[in-house]
Amino acid sequence: MAEKMESEAIVNYTARAEKAEAEIQALEAEIRQIQDPSCISEDDITPELAKLQTENGKLKYRIMHLKRSITEEEAKAGSHMANILGVVSNIFEFAIKSAFPNMPDPPLNVTVSTKIEFGDYQCNSAMAISGLLKASGQKVNPREIAQNIINCVPENSFFSKIEIAGPGFINVHLNKVFIAEQVTELLKEGVKPPLLDGKKRVVVDFSSPNIAKEMHVGHLRSTIIGESISRLCTFVGHDVLRINHVGDWGTQFGMLITHLKDKFPNFKTVSPPIGDLQAFYKESKVLFDADEDFKKRAYQAVVKLQAHDPEYHLAWQLICDVSRKEFQKIYDRLGVTLVERGESFYQDLMVDLIKDLEAQGKLVTEEGRKLMWSDKSTIPLTMVKTDGGYTYDTSDMAALKQRLVDERGDWLIYVVDQGQAMHFQAIFGAAEKLPWLDPKKHRVEHVGFGVVLGEDRKKFKTRSGDTVRLVDLLDEGLAKARASLEQKERHKVLNKEELKAAENAIAYGCIKYADLSHKRNLDYVFSFDKMLDDKGNTAVYLLYACTRIRSIIRNAGQTSEGLRQAAATTPLALEHPTEWRLAITILKFTEIICRILDDLFLHTLCEYLYELSQVFTDFYDVCYCVEKDRKTGEVIKVHMSRLLLCEATSSIMTAGFNILGITPVEKM
């Protein structure tokens, strides 16, 4: 019976949505018709224009109302969470355009209020509009402009009050019923992504270590940032391909294969003991630099490898497999998922690329090299060297084409250090001259980041001056996390499994959060002492905050499933100012996600989670969720509405942690 009712509801909703969409299309066609200059008579242009503007405003209002109805229906269906800032912005965009129909692209400035007494959101457009009118010879007081905007705000169920403050600020107080409904929906349906404009195929290029070399601290930022961006895009419903563009081709493989054949001539039948590839690489490099015969044979090995000689290809594959196993150990510890597409993957594609570029007349020959110019760089791309070989420019252009054409990527993201900014600017600029990259259809961007510094503010290195191995860094994090927990005597109250889970959560969480909480295009100082601080904006503080909320819910004798069911029948009161502020902060999550999708700066999410935890602390300090008998410790009263706010906070924090790649635990 329930399934039948749900099915009928979906059918009814679909029919209403289709009908509304049809009405919207008809209305938009009508608008286009009345906006046609041929409708305006030259004899009475002013009256006709005024009539058209009035009619246009009415039709636009009807369209906005219909579109909002569809959005509300979709939100009720539980597939998306409302973007409150987006809702407020849309209403004021309509009001401003209605109030000033002759102003092209009037400024829209809607922000979250900084103080609760100023309401929940502010529209600060009046002053900017006043400046534009003044520049055109019209002197209008910003407060008059603000009043004009308010007069054009359509009737809606989102606002409870709008008022003018100061020189022309418009303070917006949200409707308590609307906010309570949104939080209740979150509790019943779980944390959902915002409503976006279609599902995209997203290709994220990150991590990219070199075969036969160990992963070091230089790979840390690309790996952590790239994984979080991938998780973000997956959360909002995009189809994500995570690519590990490993360095698995080139001259160095000639010397590695030659050394392998010399040292282990029976490698085809007996697996050689080359677990320490770093040492093996150093041995081969010494021979390459000192022995001319070895160097000659190494170059010959490169030629045979590129010609797909079976024996040399087997040796190459063996070396790659050893590296892959070591890389995977790191990725498993960090919870990172990748599909390997090394430089070797694009070797044959580069041949086709050059033929394609020559056929299109995009290459110029200078001093034996084949170059391609980009409008966004003063230095040309070298597509073919004088000896006929290819370059990083060639492989990156071939990869770009493959991801757009074969993978049908809509959005390509390259998480590579800031030092490569000029290179990618040239690559993207050159690709825009080609038929397979359309800037109007495709979003292609370089997500740059700064370097990791030691506490001396120099490049992070070991005391001996060597590059810090990533495995050593993770091991040190585990040791320090364990010591921190033991110092707090948590090993006395947690069992073995709980202690291990807390140790991993803190160690890997603090390393990731320290990176992601800093603006990615800046350098940051790596300090375990700061990372493991349980005060301030750190992973440890947030993990403890989330664990504390779960403890409150357990002490009340409740579970997440029980609270989900209770949300259907328990109204949220939101009477106390801290209850209201917490509910508003919880619902900011969606607008934060939308902002990060625009700029891919993940520190914004970290700042939001820190703000949410602080707001929750303020709420919990003054609003009792569970009342106990002081003598017996027995629970005598549970404030279910407030407990639901606890559950909503925990759900949002957990969703944020998942995007950041951090694992919360029930006990710490």
Side-chain angles (χ1 to χ4, degrees):
M1 183 67 179
E3 290 181 358
K4 182 180 178 183
M5 291 175 65
E6 183 180 353
S7 177
E8 289 175 352
I10 292 171
V11 170
N12 291 335
Y13 160 66
T14 303
R16 291 198 304 273
E18 289 176 351
K19 182 180 178 182
E21 286 288 5
E23 285 188 56
I24 288 172
Q25 291 175 9
L27 289 168
E28 288 178 336
E30 192 173 343
I31 287 176
R32 288 193 294 272
Q33 183 179 357
I34 66 173
Q35 286 178 330
D36 189 339
S38 63
C39 296
I40 304 175
S41 168
E42 293 182 3
D43 298 329
D44 58 351
I45 185 169
T46 303
E48 183 66 18
L49 181 59
K51 179 182 176 182
L52 289 170
Q53 288 174 341
T54 302
E55 196 64 28
N56 192 20
K58 291 178 180 178
L59 291 170
K60 282 185 174 180
Y61 174 74
R62 288 178 62 193
I63 286 174
M64 177 184 171
H65 181 73
L66 286 166
K67 286 184 174 179
R68 190 171 70 237
S69 296
I70 290 174
T71 302
E72 287 175 346
E73 289 287 355
E74 288 177 330
K76 288 175 184 175
S79 57
H80 302 284
M81 281 174 58
N83 179 352
I84 309 298
L85 178 61
V87 169
V88 178
S89 297
N90 288 339
I91 291 173
F92 276 102
E93 181 180 16
F94 171 81
I96 292 169
K97 287 182 177 178
S98 299
F100 302 94
N102 297 323
M103 180 178 287
D105 196 24
L108 176 67
N109 183 4
V110 176
T111 63
V112 178
S113 293
T114 54
K115 294 184 179 180
I116 194 167
E117 58 264 31
F118 296 152
D120 305 304
Y121 288 83
Q122 282 186 336
C123 176
N124 303 327
S125 299
M127 284 71 75
I129 292 172
S130 176
L132 291 175
L133 293 174
K134 185 177 180 181
S136 66
Q138 304 176 62
K139 191 172 182 180
V140 186
N141 188 297
R143 286 184 67 92
E144 293 179 32
I145 293 171
Q147 188 60 58
N148 194 8
I149 293 171
I150 289 177
N151 293 340
C152 292
V153 170
E155 183 181 348
N156 64 81
S157 60
F158 306 118
F159 301 165
S160 64
K161 183 172 66 173
I162 311 175
E163 56 189 3
I164 301 173
F169 301 113
I170 301 175
N171 292 339
V172 178
H173 299 260
L174 295 174
N175 187 325
K176 189 177 292 184
V177 174
F178 167 64
I179 293 301
E181 285 178 347
Q182 295 302 310
V183 177
T184 298
E185 199 66 30
L186 183 160
L187 288 161
K188 292 193 297 184
E189 300 294 336
V191 180
K192 301 292 183 181
L195 180 62
L196 300 179
D197 185 20
K199 180 178 180 179
K200 299 184 185 303
R201 172 69 161 167
V202 183
V203 181
V204 188
D205 179 328
F206 66 102
S207 195
S208 308
N210 289 314
I211 293 292
K213 294 183 180 180
E214 289 184 297
M215 291 183 72
H216 54 76
V217 71
H219 299 110
L220 183 66
R221 301 209 72 185
S222 177
T223 304
I224 290 173
I225 295 169
E227 174 66 19
S228 290
I229 288 173
S230 300
R231 286 169 175 254
L232 171 71
C233 292
T234 300
F235 170 71
V236 300
H238 293 321
D239 177 19
V240 181
L241 173 61
R242 302 144 174 238
I243 289 183
N244 197 6
H245 189 85
V246 299
D248 66 348
W249 206 251
T251 305
Q252 72 271 25
F253 283 94
M255 66 184 195
L256 285 166
I257 292 170
T258 302
H259 188 40
L260 180 72
K261 286 170 62 64
D262 288 351
K263 193 169 184 178
F264 306 104
N266 60 343
F267 74 92
K268 289 186 286 184
T269 55
V270 179
S271 181
I274 54 170
D276 189 352
L277 263 183
Q278 188 82 354
F280 190 78
Y281 179 89
K282 289 179 179 178
E283 289 175 8
S284 64
K285 185 67 170 66
V286 169
L287 290 168
F288 185 83
D289 292 338
D291 188 333
E292 284 300 320
D293 178 65
F294 182 91
K295 181 183 290 188
K296 181 180 178 181
R297 288 188 293 121
Y299 282 128
Q300 290 171 346
V302 173
V303 174
K304 290 182 179 180
L305 176 62
Q306 292 174 344
H308 303 289
D309 181 291
E311 181 180 0
Y312 286 79
H313 189 273
L314 176 63
W316 169 78
Q317 189 66 57
L318 190 151
I319 293 167
C320 289
D321 286 345
V322 173
S323 270
R324 285 192 192 100
K325 289 176 182 176
E326 294 305 310
F327 295 161
Q328 194 57 49
K329 291 176 184 177
I330 299 289
Y331 295 140
D332 287 344
R333 292 175 70 173
L334 292 174
V336 172
T337 305
L338 282 155
V339 174
E340 186 180 308
R341 292 269 179 85
E343 294 169 358
S344 61
F345 180 84
Y346 304 100
Q347 294 308 300
D348 293 339
L349 298 180
M350 289 192 284
V351 177
D352 296 334
L353 171 71
I354 298 304
K355 291 178 181 177
D356 187 13
L357 294 178
E358 287 181 324
Q360 293 183 53
K362 299 297 184 182
L363 300 182
V364 295
T365 302
E366 290 185 11
E367 299 178 353
R369 297 176 301 158
K370 293 182 180 180
L371 310 176
M372 184 176 181
W373 287 92
S374 166
D375 293 336
K376 296 183 178 179
S377 175
T378 56
I379 301 173
L381 300 172
T382 301
M383 304 306 291
V384 182
K385 297 187 293 185
T386 53
D387 62 1
Y390 299 137
T391 68
Y392 284 122
D393 294 343
T394 328
S395 61
D396 280 342
M397 189 66 79
L400 184 67
K401 179 182 178 182
Q402 192 275 337
R403 294 167 189 181
L404 290 171
V405 178
D406 297 344
E407 298 295 345
R408 299 183 180 276
D410 302 302
W411 185 8
L412 308 189
I413 301 170
Y414 291 77
V415 187
V416 186
D417 70 88
Q418 199 72 23
Q420 298 296 314
M422 295 297 292
H423 168 71
F424 283 111
Q425 188 176 352
I427 291 287
F428 300 159
E432 287 177 5
K433 294 182 174 183
L434 302 168
W436 28 268
L437 174 56
D438 183 352
K440 294 180 181 178
K441 284 177 54 181
H442 302 113
R443 179 177 172 183
V444 179
E445 59 191 307
H446 168 223
V447 173
F449 53 85
V451 300
V452 181
L453 303 176
E455 295 191 65
D456 58 359
R457 305 198 70 82
K458 296 179 180 178
K459 269 199 171 183
F460 193 32
K461 293 184 180 294
T462 64
R463 289 183 179 178
S464 62
D466 295 330
T467 302
V468 178
R469 298 194 315 161
L470 201 45
V471 67
D472 292 340
L473 192 72
L474 299 181
D475 287 345
E476 185 178 357
L478 283 172
K480 288 184 176 294
R482 188 184 308 115
S484 175
L485 287 166
E486 289 177 353
Q487 186 179 10
K488 293 181 173 67
E489 298 189 338
R490 302 310 296 163
H491 60 293
K492 295 180 179 180
V493 294
L494 300 177
N495 63 38
K496 187 176 180 181
E497 290 74 20
E498 290 169 343
L499 187 64
K500 184 65 177 176
E503 180 185 307
N504 287 336
I506 291 174
Y508 303 140
C510 77
I511 291 171
K512 291 177 181 180
Y513 193 85
D515 190 309
L516 297 170
S517 61
H518 288 83
K519 198 171 183 180
R520 61 168 165 77
N521 55 355
L522 303 177
D523 301 341
Y524 85 95
V525 175
F526 191 98
S527 168
F528 272 122
D529 289 340
K530 291 181 180 178
M531 291 178 191
L532 292 166
D533 193 343
D534 58 7
K535 298 179 181 63
N537 188 10
T538 66
V540 180
Y541 172 81
L542 292 178
L543 284 166
Y544 272 118
C546 193
T547 304
R548 179 189 183 195
I549 297 172
R550 301 312 308 166
S551 177
I552 293 166
I553 293 170
R554 282 197 307 275
N555 289 337
Q558 296 292 329
T559 64
S560 292
E561 178 58 27
L563 291 174
R564 185 185 71 80
Q565 294 175 8
T569 57
T570 305
L572 289 177
L574 305 183
E575 296 294 340
H576 195 280
T578 59
E579 291 178 305
W580 176 255
R581 187 181 171 213
L582 180 58
I584 292 293
T585 307
I586 286 168
L587 295 178
K588 275 176 61 179
F589 176 73
T590 309
E591 67 191 56
I592 295 297
I593 293 299
C594 290
R595 190 189 309 172
I596 301 170
L597 286 170
D598 284 339
D599 60 24
L600 298 179
F601 280 103
L602 288 150
H603 71 279
T604 307
L605 178 57
C606 299
E607 290 171 354
Y608 164 73
L609 292 175
Y610 182 52
E611 177 193 2
L612 178 60
S613 66
Q614 290 181 307
V615 172
F616 177 83
T617 299
D618 293 342
F619 152 78
Y620 189 68
D621 285 345
V622 295
C623 292
Y624 289 112
C625 300
V626 181
E627 293 186 36
K628 294 183 177 181
D629 186 290
R630 293 186 178 181
K631 293 182 179 179
T632 65
E634 292 182 5
V635 175
I636 57 176
K637 185 176 182 180
V638 173
H639 295 267
M640 188 57 73
S641 174
R642 292 173 178 174
L643 207 61
L644 290 174
L645 285 175
C646 293
E647 176 65 24
T649 304
S650 173
S651 297
I652 290 291
M653 291 190 74
T654 300
F657 284 153
N658 185 57
I659 291 171
L660 299 175
I662 296 172
T663 304
V665 289
E666 283 289 319
K667 297 180 181 180
M668 277 182 64

